[in-house]
Amino acid sequence: MTSVPQSEPHSHSHPHPHPQPVSPPATEPQAQLVPRPRLWPLLVVVLASAVSFLIVSGISLFIAQLLVTGQVATTREAALQAAEMIKQSRLAFSITVILPQIALVMPAVIAALLSPDRFAPRMGLVAGRWPMWAWFAAAAATPLVGMASGVFVSLFLEESTALKQTSELLRTMGSDGFLIPLALLIGGMPAICEELLFRGYLQNRLTRRLPPITGIVIASAVFAIFHMDPVHIVAVFPIGLWMGWLSFRSGSLYPAMIAHLVNNVLAVTVVVLNPQESAGAFALPAMFASLFMLGAGVLGLAGVAAAAYFFPPPVPARLLRAEAVSDAGLA
């Protein structure tokens, strides 16, 4: 019996060879995946806040005039007389503070509620990275920042008429046992409403779309401009930068809120308690208050520096992939 010779296997004996692993295609640089910042919602909200603030300010004055005089002033003399009467009425004065502040923040609140993101994280109302002791360290340092800003501005600019009138109004309203309610009112309403708008809504979106320093500067500039008086704008801009940095670095709006509250409360208290001839917006407070603010400020700055060192921020959100960033609605 003859055996059939077996052919040698060769490469053509398998018509369907096993597929070789294919390396994935090179991905595009991550920076190209990040969409262009959508800034138009911010512009809409900022303009809406300005318009609603001005309109409600007029309405609140109308209500306050009705409350103290029973009628609406139709002449300049009547308006000035009504303004003096509003200064004497704690309820009327409170209306002119509370209602415009609520109107200021409402567009941002509505926009955040329409966002696909949850409201609290969207506005920075979270615990963040810093421990609570760092929040209060930031609050202790803020009056020193404000005092340094005021002293520096006073070297180049004179106190404006509007700021002098504001100081006089605070001294008038702060007399006869109304100092603490006045300080809490002037400190509390802006600390909530202005921080929600400028740091909570505006800055949080800007720092997600732009380099953090750019977002902080823009939000602080808008915050300063909303104070309207040119000298006041220059004076509060550094404080805005400071509170913006606090909010970004801590990952929470609460440190900026507390810092804003403490700064305003101390500012009102100093203006009311200082002698009239030295209680301007840029005047140094009394010696005891100055030493207290200096000591607390130095300790606060040390605490803030420690918190910034031991609790650093994560990778900026603007470096995340595009699909992780929501651009729907007015977010």
Side-chain angles (χ1 to χ4, degrees), residues 2 16 23 38 70 114 124 138 155 163 178 182 187 202 235 265 274 289 309 325:
T2 60
H16 302 290
S23 58
R38 293 178 59 190
L114 294 176
L155 298 176
L163 287 176
F178 195 60
L182 176 68
L202 181 59
V265 167
N274 261 3
Y309 178 80
V325 179

Side-chain angles (χ1 to χ4, degrees), residues 29 41 51 98 107 127 142-143 150 173 203 286 291 297 303 307 324:
V51 171
I98 294 174
T142 302
M173 295 301 305
Q203 180 177 295
L291 292 176

Side-chain angles (χ1 to χ4, degrees), residues 7-17:
S7 60
E8 291 294 330
H10 52 79
S11 59
H12 296 88
S13 62
H14 298 287
H16 302 290

Side-chain angles (χ1 to χ4, degrees), residues 159-183:
E159 187 178 4
S160 64
T161 301
L163 287 176
K164 292 178 181 178
Q165 292 174 347
T166 300
S167 298
E168 180 60 32
L169 174 62
L170 292 176
R171 280 193 293 269
T172 300
M173 295 301 305
S175 60
D176 300 328
F178 195 60
L179 172 58
I180 294 178
L182 176 68

Side-chain angles (χ1 to χ4, degrees), residues 91-280:
L91 176 59
F93 175 78
S94 299
I95 289 174
T96 63
V97 173
I98 294 174
L99 294 185
Q101 285 287 320
I102 294 175
L104 177 73
V105 75
M106 282 308 299
V109 171
I110 294 172
L113 290 174
L114 294 176
S115 169
D117 300 330
R118 291 190 297 121
F119 180 82
R122 176 66 189 82
M123 301 294 279
L125 299 174
V126 293
R129 295 176 291 274
W130 286 5
M132 191 170 292
W133 60 261
W135 299 4
F136 293 99
T142 302
L144 179 60
V145 175
M147 186 170 67
S149 174
V151 171
F152 179 78
V153 171
S154 67
L155 298 176
F156 305 96
L157 299 174
E158 293 185 0
E159 187 178 4
S160 64
T161 301
L163 287 176
K164 292 178 181 178
Q165 292 174 347
T166 300
S167 298
E168 180 60 32
L169 174 62
L170 292 176
R171 280 193 293 269
T172 300
M173 295 301 305
S175 60
D176 300 328
F178 195 60
L179 172 58
I180 294 178
L182 176 68
L184 293 177
L185 178 66
I186 300 299
M189 291 303 299
I192 296 172
C193 299
E194 293 180 6
E195 290 306 314
L196 283 173
L197 171 60
F198 298 113
R199 253 68 67 178
Y201 182 80
L202 181 59
Q203 180 177 295
N204 275 346
R205 183 178 175 88
L206 287 171
T207 53
R208 288 171 58 191
R209 304 304 201 269
L210 303 173
I213 185 61
T214 304
I216 293 172
V217 169
I218 293 174
S220 301
V222 177
F223 164 73
I225 291 170
F226 264 69
H227 287 77
M228 298 182 187
D229 178 70
V231 179
H232 204 184
I233 289 173
V234 177
V236 302
F237 179 66
I239 304 176
L241 290 174
W242 166 253
M243 292 188 292
W245 181 84
L246 289 177
S247 179
F248 173 78
R249 189 77 183 196
S250 67
S252 171
L253 187 62
Y254 293 125
M257 279 184 163
I258 298 173
H260 201 152
L261 171 67
V262 171
N263 183 73
N264 283 12
V265 167
L266 283 180
V268 171
T269 303
V270 167
V271 168
V272 172
L273 296 183
N274 261 3
Q276 181 171 348
E277 61 273 10
S278 62

